[in-house]
Amino acid sequence: MKYIFLFLLLTSLTLQAQFQVNGIVKDIETNKALPFATLTFDKNHKTITDVDGKFAFKTTTDYPIFETTYLGYSNTKNDLSIGLNFYPIYLTPNTTALQKATIFNNNPATAIIKQAIALKKANNPKNNLTSFEFKSYNKLLVSAHPDSIIGTLDSVFIQRRRGLVFKKIDSTKFKFKEAITKHHLFITEKVSHFQFKDNSLKETILGTKMAGLKQPLYEIIGFNLQSFSVYDEKYELFETKYKSPISRNAPKEYSYKLLDTVNIGGRMTYMIHFKNKKISKTAGLEGILYIDQKSYAVAKAVMRIKGVLDISGTHEFEYVPEQKMWFPISKKFKIVKGKNDDDIKILGGTIQFDGDFDDNLSTREKQPSDYVYLSSQTNNFDFRYNKPVTVKKSFVSIEIKDNALNKPVDFWNKYRKDSLDLREKKTYFVLDTFFQKKRLESKIRFGRKIINGYLPLPFFDMDLRKLVRYNNYEGFRLGFGGVTNERMSKIFKIDAYAAYGTKDGAFKYHFGASVRVGKFSNSWIGADYTDDVREIASTTFAIDKVPFKLYDPRPINISTFYNYVSWRTYIETAIIPKTESIWELSHSEILPKFNYAYNLHNHLYTNYQMTTAKVSLQWNPFSDYMQTPNGRIEIEKRYPKFTFQITQSLPKAVLTDFQFTKIDFKTEYEKKYLNGQKTNLLFQGGYALGDVPLTHLYNTSPNNITKETIVQRITFAGKNSFETMYFNEFFSSEFAYFQFKHSLNRLKLFSKIKPSLVLVSRMAWGNLQKPEQHVGIEYKTLNKGYFESGIELNQILNGLGLTAFYRYGPNQLPKFEDNIAVKLSFVLNIGL
């Protein structure tokens, strides 16, 4: 009897066990896929097809029928069969049903959307509520579905004259499936406290952990996968902003279709499909909006973009009767591979999608990266509405608490909606073990330092920029320098360098020390001594971070320098919201290293001293910042950005020969387009008042050498320099400079040669007050303006490219070829 009972029990479990159902819904007449068709299974469970008409759901055989509905088509019912997992569903157009659905305003969906737009302000929690706060739990996975991978051992053959010859056994797919069956590729979790007040939303991270890492990668934490609100004019999906389907003028750009009515949380909603009217892969979003039939608020939203990556974001809401509104309760995000020619790395290389180099993609053999996906699930809880909220340091969008990195198991068990499954637990164990064995965390730290130009040593980071450089005055400049790192001290640092020029035969030195006086504001007080040389009339902003370059081409051709011996004390701080600034007091002794004298009141100064006060400030009002235990990070760069600098000489009683004021300004703007193109604008100006020697005026960054032919003048191009302007050709005491750059999509010349085409125009105007004071050097002024335009064909081969520029306008030279500059370019993309 017990065996019969056991048999019946197993049979019952088998009959009720869930199984996966996959399929596609198409128009029976056109064979076109029908996106967002509704499928009802298990009597009252519903799902919808994706953009490609595909669907997948899990069900039992208790109710072995599922129904498919689509506006304008006749409904169809299908029987489920054990053993059959893929169901092609064909729907027949129903003209009568379609006519009934469009009896008013030709398109009821558009009318519903217009009403939703009109009531958007009343339905948006950011407008409807004076304040709110909640907690959230987020889990991000990088993984693959083991069942979709054919884990076979493949034989690799190579072509020889006598035919195919066996080379090796390729076990990549076999090993990948074996690994992915046991654990995911990556997992990270975080618990956050969100607070909203005065139109500002701040996230405070209470706990975070990443598999394999004791110190998390803050860039991943700060990565904005999808917008918090669906009501904003721009909806952000994977750090790209698209015009929202319920933005102010959305009906002009989107088409809408009423698909169904759906019950969500006891309230009826309209299920509306939206799609951009433009026929373009990058034109805009496509998806589904569920609009409440009474309030016209969004009760659920599904957003999707399909191109080089297939990206989807889902927002779910819950109706709050007390507030008479829908409030977000969860978010889902997913990325899978689309169609891409180039290898794509995201999240700092955590996930990579290999490019499709085969012209016939249908015959291309799938690689492990084809199966990889990234998914993120966020669940919100502990809601409080219109209660007193104190948001500290609201100008920081994300703040990670110092104790967030080492939370105990009880903390995570408290906030997880569901316990980690065996595969997720295994992921932490495997990656923790693997990272520790391979010392990957140390390698990540090493890589970060290298990218920023430093070689990390036990207590000292060697500055790679100081090792070898070259210019026409010093010849080869050989040196050594660096700064103490956090392993020595987090609140005190010493920096120093020494260098020797093989051509000028002189040593240069620098020594400095500083102490941190504010952790949150990253404030440092320091002092230093420097004996070095600098290009004459060069414009530098003290707050600018000098980027690391393997090779800096412009200084090669510079011949005119001045020596400066300076003592400086300074405060560097980010205490002012969304700014970084340096406040310094310095005394310098200046010695020009070229034939020059400054004539002031009939006295020729061939060397002089200056004591100055300087404030240099960079302001990024539209950027978002994250405060970490290690400092503040700009997690989302938004434009425009502004840089200001004022230099004021102190009275003559304080060891200074000249009285002057210099005011410098710079603003940068960048706009990225959905089609992959990009526009950069740069405006810079400077104004010098008083008695200013030539060494401290403006040369507007020339980068052309005085040679007879175009070929002889071929050197490397700079980033923002005038490629056709000769060194020491123009000087100004006041100037304005404007640069326009537009980067087009990469040109495909060959399968692996895809240069980047950039259109460039530059122009400048200037003037020089009291030109008679500058003796010993010939120059011109920019009163009539200077203009050049050209193209950059970058990254043709291994980072090398070619540029060509033409000089025109009032300062055009008589000989045609003298106005042409052909340069090499070198662009190296480094990322971690």
Side-chain angles (χ1 to χ4, degrees):
M1 179 65 71
K2 65 179 180 181
Y3 293 107
I4 296 175
F5 174 77
L6 181 60
F7 172 78
L8 292 174
L9 177 63
L10 291 175
T11 303
S12 175
L13 290 174
T14 302
L15 291 174
Q16 295 186 21
Q18 286 191 331
F19 61 94
Q20 182 85 10
V21 177
N22 301 287
I24 187 168
V25 179
K26 292 185 176 183
D27 184 309
I28 196 170
E29 295 180 357
T30 64
N31 204 39
K32 289 184 178 179
L34 297 177
F36 307 112
T38 301
L39 295 101
T40 305
F41 58 97
D42 290 346
K43 291 188 178 181
N44 58 1
H45 290 84
K46 292 188 177 185
T47 187
I48 59 175
T49 60
D50 63 15
V51 174
D52 303 312
K54 297 177 181 179
F55 64 87
F57 60 85
K58 290 184 179 181
T59 185
T60 68
T61 54
D62 285 352
Y63 188 76
I65 296 175
F66 68 93
E67 184 178 16
T68 307
T69 60
Y70 198 76
L71 187 68
Y73 291 79
S74 298
N75 299 353
T76 183
K77 293 184 179 181
N78 294 84
D79 294 327
L80 291 171
S81 301
I82 297 177
L84 179 62
N85 293 328
F86 189 83
Y87 294 80
I89 309 298
Y90 292 93
L91 300 183
T92 303
N94 186 334
T95 307
T96 304
L98 186 60
Q99 288 174 348
K100 289 180 180 179
T102 58
I103 56 175
F104 88 98
N105 200 29
N106 293 327
N107 187 350
T110 302
I112 294 168
I113 289 295
K114 286 182 177 179
Q115 189 70 4
I117 294 172
L119 296 174
K120 186 169 65 170
K121 187 174 182 180
N123 289 320
N124 186 352
K126 287 185 175 181
N127 298 121
N128 194 10
L129 301 173
T130 57
S131 67
F132 60 77
E133 61 181 326
F134 60 89
K135 292 186 175 68
S136 74
Y137 167 76
N138 171 266
K139 178 166 63 180
L140 184 147
L141 291 172
V142 179
S143 190
H145 296 295
D147 294 340
S148 61
I149 304 169
I150 302 174
T152 58
L153 294 172
D154 297 327
S155 299
V156 179
F157 294 87
I158 56 175
Q159 184 69 44
R160 298 294 189 194
R161 289 184 179 179
R162 62 182 183 273
L164 293 174
V165 178
F166 174 80
K167 183 179 180 181
K168 65 177 181 178
I169 294 292
D170 185 0
S171 60
T172 304
K173 295 178 185 176
F174 175 80
K175 291 181 178 179
F176 181 71
K177 179 168 184 175
E178 186 179 39
I180 208 68
T181 302
K182 298 176 181 176
H183 59 81
H184 301 288
L185 299 177
F186 181 72
I187 183 173
T188 179
E189 299 172 274
K190 69 173 179 177
V191 175
S192 301
H193 181 202
F194 285 86
Q195 295 172 294
F196 174 82
K197 185 182 179 182
D198 299 330
N199 204 33
S200 177
L201 181 66
K202 180 180 178 180
E203 178 185 4
T204 302
I205 297 178
L206 307 177
T208 180
K209 62 186 300 189
M210 287 186 183
L213 297 168
K214 296 179 181 178
Q215 182 81 17
L217 298 176
Y218 295 118
E219 291 82 357
I220 294 179
I221 295 176
F223 208 87
N224 192 17
L225 298 176
Q226 61 190 124
S227 291
F228 168 78
S229 174
V230 297
Y231 291 101
D232 295 338
E233 287 294 297
K234 296 284 187 179
Y235 178 82
E236 191 164 357
L237 197 60
F238 198 55
E239 296 210 325
T240 301
K241 292 185 177 181
Y242 304 90
K243 191 176 184 68
S244 169
I246 54 171
S247 60
R248 190 167 49 251
N249 297 314
K252 293 181 179 179
E253 298 189 21
Y254 286 93
S255 59
Y256 304 92
K257 186 175 183 180
L258 180 61
L259 301 181
D260 204 347
T261 57
V262 179
N263 187 310
I264 299 180
R267 293 175 68 91
M268 294 306 297
T269 66
Y270 298 109
M271 180 182 174
I272 296 176
H273 170 240
F274 64 87
K275 186 176 183 180
N276 199 281
K277 294 178 180 178
K278 298 177 182 178
I279 304 174
S280 171
K281 291 181 180 179
T282 57
L285 297 165
E286 182 175 2
I288 294 287
L289 293 175
Y290 296 79
I291 305 296
D292 187 294
Q293 292 187 7
K294 293 182 178 179
S295 66
Y296 291 91
V298 177
K300 184 178 178 180
V302 180
M303 312 285 195
R304 188 174 179 189
I305 284 292
K306 188 170 183 181
V308 293
L309 293 173
D310 188 348
I311 308 172
S312 62
T314 302
H315 298 256
E316 295 189 350
F317 300 78
E318 182 179 65
Y319 188 73
V320 184
E322 298 83 0
Q323 307 298 331
K324 297 181 179 179
M325 67 168 192
W326 290 85
F327 196 84
I329 58 170
S330 70
K331 291 193 303 183
K332 295 178 183 178
F333 177 88
K334 190 170 184 178
I335 298 179
V336 297
K337 183 184 176 182
K339 293 182 179 180
N340 54 293
D341 293 332
D342 295 318
D343 292 349
I344 300 173
K345 293 183 179 181
I346 61 176
L347 298 184
T350 302
I351 178 171
Q352 173 172 332
F353 301 101
D354 295 334
D356 301 319
F357 296 110
D358 200 333
D359 292 333
N360 186 359
L361 297 179
S362 62
T363 62
R364 173 185 175 272
E365 186 177 359
K366 287 194 172 185
Q367 301 301 316
S369 71
D370 294 323
Y371 303 100
V372 173
Y373 66 84
L374 179 148
S375 68
S376 173
Q377 171 77 48
T378 302
N379 295 306
N380 304 333
F381 52 93
D382 290 353
F383 302 97
R384 296 178 75 244
Y385 311 107
N386 289 331
K387 303 293 184 181
V389 173
T390 302
V391 184
K392 297 181 180 179
K393 304 178 180 70
S394 59
F395 61 90
V396 176
S397 301
I398 303 175
E399 182 179 358
I400 303 178
K401 291 294 187 181
D402 289 349
N403 62 351
L405 307 184
N406 298 300
K407 290 295 184 180
V409 175
D410 291 344
F411 172 87
W412 295 106
N413 291 337
K414 176 183 177 181
Y415 289 111
R416 287 177 181 138
K417 186 177 180 180
D418 299 304
S419 300
L420 295 182
D421 60 31
L422 185 61
R423 197 171 168 213
E424 290 168 340
K425 292 178 181 178
K426 189 74 171 178
T427 304
Y428 275 115
F429 175 77
V430 169
L431 290 185
D432 288 347
T433 304
F434 180 74
F435 271 61
Q436 186 175 4
K437 181 180 179 180
K438 299 292 184 179
R439 301 182 68 247
L440 290 184
E441 195 155 14
S442 298
K443 292 178 181 179
I444 290 173
R445 176 181 176 272
F446 179 87
R448 288 181 180 278
K449 297 278 188 178
I450 290 292
I451 287 173
N452 290 316
Y454 292 93
L455 176 65
L457 302 174
F459 301 102
F460 180 79
D461 292 340
M462 186 173 69
D463 193 339
L464 300 176
R465 289 166 289 202
K466 305 297 183 185
L467 295 178
V468 181
R469 286 189 289 176
Y470 182 86
N471 60 67
N472 266 345
Y473 173 73
E474 294 178 281
F476 283 101
R477 177 183 169 116
L478 310 176
F480 179 83
V483 59
T484 56
N485 57 39
E486 67 280 1
R487 290 183 175 179
M488 177 177 175
S489 174
K490 292 184 178 181
I491 63 172
F492 181 77
K493 59 185 177 183
I494 299 172
D495 63 298
Y497 70 78
Y500 177 77
T502 59
K503 190 173 181 180
D504 68 339
F507 284 95
K508 292 87 181 174
Y509 312 93
H510 168 87
F511 179 84
S514 57
V515 60
R516 190 178 71 187
V517 293
K519 182 179 180 181
F520 186 87
S521 62
N522 196 30
S523 298
W524 295 77
I525 293 179
D528 55 43
Y529 168 83
T530 306
D531 182 351
D532 208 336
V533 294
R534 182 177 293 161
E535 177 191 0
I536 67 168
S538 57
T539 305
T540 58
F541 290 85
I543 195 60
D544 278 354
K545 302 293 187 295
V546 181
F548 172 57
K549 300 178 182 178
L550 291 177
Y551 174 66
D552 190 5
R554 187 176 171 273
I556 287 180
N557 303 305
I558 301 175
S559 302
T560 47
F561 288 79
Y562 65 89
N563 171 248
Y564 66 100
V565 178
S566 70
W567 295 262
R568 182 180 72 126
T569 183
Y570 64 90
I571 298 176
E572 183 175 357
T573 182
I575 195 169
I576 304 173
K578 299 198 174 186
T579 70
E580 294 179 68
S581 60
I582 292 180
W583 307 67
E584 67 176 52
L585 182 67
S586 66
H587 174 77
S588 302
E589 295 177 359
I590 309 299
L591 177 63
K593 293 295 185 177
F594 59 102
N595 183 27
Y596 173 74
Y598 184 57
N599 183 7
L600 181 63
H601 306 311
N602 295 322
H603 178 75
L604 294 178
Y605 288 87
T606 55
N607 59 79
Y608 34 87
Q609 58 182 349
M610 296 178 175
T611 302
T612 59
K614 179 187 292 184
V615 177
S616 186
L617 181 146
Q618 185 178 83
W619 180 39
N620 307 324
F622 306 105
S623 294
D624 285 339
Y625 288 85
M626 176 169 62
Q627 187 73 32
T628 76
N630 295 336
R632 195 174 302 169
I633 301 173
E634 187 180 6
I635 54 173
E636 186 168 358
K637 295 182 179 181
R638 295 197 184 105
Y639 295 86
K641 295 170 173 281
F642 305 95
T643 308
F644 308 88
Q645 184 165 283
I646 298 177
T647 306
Q648 175 64 55
S649 65
L650 299 186
K652 285 190 175 182
V654 197
L655 299 176
T656 188
D657 290 326
F658 312 123
Q659 297 294 299
F660 66 89
T661 302
K662 284 184 68 178
I663 302 172
D664 297 291
F665 171 77
K666 178 174 67 174
T667 182
E668 302 169 81
Y669 178 78
E670 179 181 292
K671 180 174 177 60
K672 295 180 179 179
Y673 302 94
L674 296 181
N675 60 8
Q677 299 185 29
K678 181 173 67 173
T679 296
N680 294 87
L681 303 178
L682 172 64
F683 175 79
Q684 187 171 331
Y687 192 76
L689 297 163
D691 303 320
V692 189
L694 192 71
T695 51
H696 288 67
L697 292 178
Y698 306 105
N699 63 15
T700 56
S701 194
N703 193 32
N704 206 10
I705 57 177
T706 308
K707 298 287 185 179
E708 281 295 319
T709 67
I710 295 174
V711 175
Q712 289 176 318
R713 294 195 297 271
I714 293 178
T715 56
F716 280 89
K719 184 180 180 182
N720 301 316
S721 54
F722 279 102
E723 303 303 331
T724 60
M725 183 186 292
Y726 295 92
F727 286 102
N728 300 331
E729 186 179 2
F730 297 92
F731 290 100
S732 306
S733 57
E734 54 201 59
F735 83 100
Y737 164 87
F738 176 75
Q739 175 181 269
F740 166 85
K741 282 189 175 185
H742 184 78
S743 304
L744 302 171
N745 292 325
R746 302 189 74 167
L747 302 175
K748 185 175 180 179
L749 301 180
F750 302 98
S751 61
K752 293 189 178 181
I753 299 181
K754 303 171 186 176
S756 171
L757 178 62
V758 184
L759 308 179
V760 185
S761 282
R762 299 185 180 101
M763 55 201 74
W765 294 266
N767 188 33
L768 182 62
Q769 301 290 340
K770 304 175 184 178
E772 69 280 357
Q773 292 182 330
H774 307 288
V775 182
I777 187 171
E778 294 184 3
Y779 57 88
K780 295 184 287 186
T781 62
L782 290 171
N783 303 65
K784 297 180 180 179
Y786 189 95
F787 306 87
E788 75 171 23
S789 295
I791 60 172
E792 297 178 355
L793 207 59
N794 298 322
Q795 295 176 294
I796 298 175
L797 185 63
N798 296 329
L800 285 173
L802 196 65
T803 71
F805 287 87
Y806 182 70
R807 171 175 176 166
Y808 57 94
N811 278 295
Q812 187 175 35
L813 299 174
K815 292 177 65 177
F816 174 78
E817 57 269 25
D818 290 344
N819 297 294
I820 298 174
V822 177
K823 305 288 180 70
L824 299 174
S825 67
F826 184 72
V827 178
L828 183 63
N829 291 327
I830 301 177
L832 186 67

